[in-house]
Amino acid sequence: MNNEMKMEFDARSENESFARVAVAAFVSELDPTLEEISDIKTAVSEAVTNAIIHGYDGITDGKVTLYCRLEKDVIHIEVEDTGRGIPDVEQAMEPLFTTKPELNRSGMGFPFMEAFMDDLEVISGPGEGTRVLMKKKIGCTPWIGDGE
Amino acid sequence: MEEDFKVIDNYLMVKMPEEIDHHKSSYISENADRFILRENVSNVVFDFEDTRFMDSSGIGILMGRYKKISCFGGKVFAINADHRIRRLLMLSGLHKIVEIME
């Protein structure tokens, strides 16, 4: 089964729950387990929160784009912002690394995305915005790669 | 929302909401800190009985409160956490500094 959806919303924190609930509803036709839904919601929440507080630094008229595609039993999720970008992606993905400890950020956003999805790719650079691409296979076995 | 924060002896009890994300987290952190300061409590207990969703913002709340009270010998507890919340606490290594109880 193939299906896709795309939406754009303001970089406001109240849209974090809207985004994760929308993705959970979209993936429901693949009949995911509660566990899988929970994993996806957490990962989407992390990516969208990053766009809002890091990408746009709290400037709420920035736009976050959320794109999802179902391909057979795999959901592809892309979260994109056109904000400040990440100078060092590798460092940003390290557990506990955060540039905003004063906001009680834990530095666990990317590690949680990595743990709960089968595949995570981050495309970013200073002033270039950020694209987070995630994949998860719905079903009991983890997603392995192309051709699987 | 004030009723979600209760002081019993030397413990601040925080009833966590159904969903814990960045949008909700600053309210919880700010109120917890206000109570810690005002009531001079040394321990904080986070009750996850009603919580059905949490992301890393919840980890940030616990981590931040731990930093505030641990230097005075205080402890952070997590109670009624379901297996998903426990998994987040484990993944972030928080189970080493936060006492997880039934």
Side-chain angles (χ1 to χ4, degrees):
Chain A
M1 172 197 317
N2 294 318
N3 193 7
E4 57 181 3
M5 72 98 153
K6 189 177 182 176
M7 59 190 211
E8 191 183 76
F9 49 86
D10 284 348
R12 310 181 73 94
S13 63
E14 49 269 53
N15 287 334
E16 290 155 8
S17 64
F18 166 65
R20 63 178 180 258
V21 169
V23 177
F26 183 71
V27 75
S28 67
E29 62 177 292
L30 293 186
D31 210 7
T33 61
L34 287 175
E35 204 67 37
E36 287 165 337
I37 293 177
S38 173
D39 289 352
I40 291 169
K41 280 171 80 176
T42 302
V44 170
S45 201
E46 301 297 353
V48 171
T49 302
N50 275 351
I52 292 171
I53 63 179
H54 296 289
Y56 294 116
D57 222 350
I59 299 161
T60 53
D61 57 1
K63 301 285 183 198
V64 181
T65 308
L66 174 65
Y67 168 74
C68 295
R69 189 172 75 250
L70 305 181
E71 243 176 52
K72 291 182 188 160
D73 50 359
V74 177
I75 179 164
H76 298 249
I77 303 170
E78 283 186 41
V79 177
E80 187 175 0
D81 68 69
T82 56
R84 56 158 56 176
I86 304 168
D88 186 341
V89 172
E90 210 176 307
Q91 185 186 39
M93 291 177 79
E94 277 173 26
L96 304 176
F97 175 83
T98 180
T99 53
K100 293 197 187 293
E102 75 283 3
L103 287 183
N104 285 307
R105 303 310 305 166
S106 60
M108 291 305 292
F110 282 127
F112 280 0
M113 288 181 237
E114 248 174 341
F116 297 140
M117 302 298 280
D118 296 333
D119 194 52
L120 169 69
E121 194 186 341
V122 181
I123 303 164
S124 188
E128 290 170 15
T130 300
R131 270 176 82 199
V132 175
L133 295 90
M134 301 182 278
K135 287 176 201 167
K136 189 175 181 71
K137 180 172 174 155
I138 305 303
C140 43
T141 45
W143 190 84
I144 299 162
D146 290 324
E148 278 297 317
Chain B
M1 296 273 234
E2 277 279 305
E3 68 271 10
D4 295 333
F5 299 84
K6 268 195 199 106
V7 175
I8 302 167
D9 296 331
N10 204 11
Y11 291 81
L12 171 65
M13 313 285 291
V14 183
K15 188 88 174 154
M16 295 297 248
E18 196 177 332
E19 305 225 313
I20 306 167
D21 61 5
H22 156 244
H23 182 61
K24 295 265 174 70
S25 66
S26 54
Y27 169 81
I28 302 166
S29 297
E30 281 162 21
N31 271 284
D33 288 352
R34 206 159 48 83
F35 274 89
I36 292 167
L37 212 68
R38 197 175 73 192
E39 310 280 342
N40 209 14
V41 293
S42 43
N43 306 295
V44 185
V45 180
F46 290 98
D47 184 351
F48 291 96
E49 192 184 4
D50 298 337
T51 305
R52 297 291 163 264
F53 174 82
M54 184 169 106
D55 66 16
S56 70
S57 308
I59 300 300
I61 296 173
L62 269 63
M63 222 179 243
R65 308 295 73 69
Y66 174 81
K67 281 182 194 155
K68 286 229 154 62
I69 61 170
S70 60
C71 48
F72 304 108
K75 272 189 171 179
V76 174
F77 300 85
I79 61 169
N80 296 319
D82 67 18
H83 73 280
R84 289 194 199 107
I85 292 166
R86 281 166 189 258
R87 190 159 63 130
L88 297 181
L89 296 173
M90 298 286 186
L91 273 171
S92 54
L94 224 61
H95 60 294
K96 292 173 192 157
I97 56 172
V98 170
E99 223 162 294
I100 305 168
M101 300 171 86
E102 286 310 315

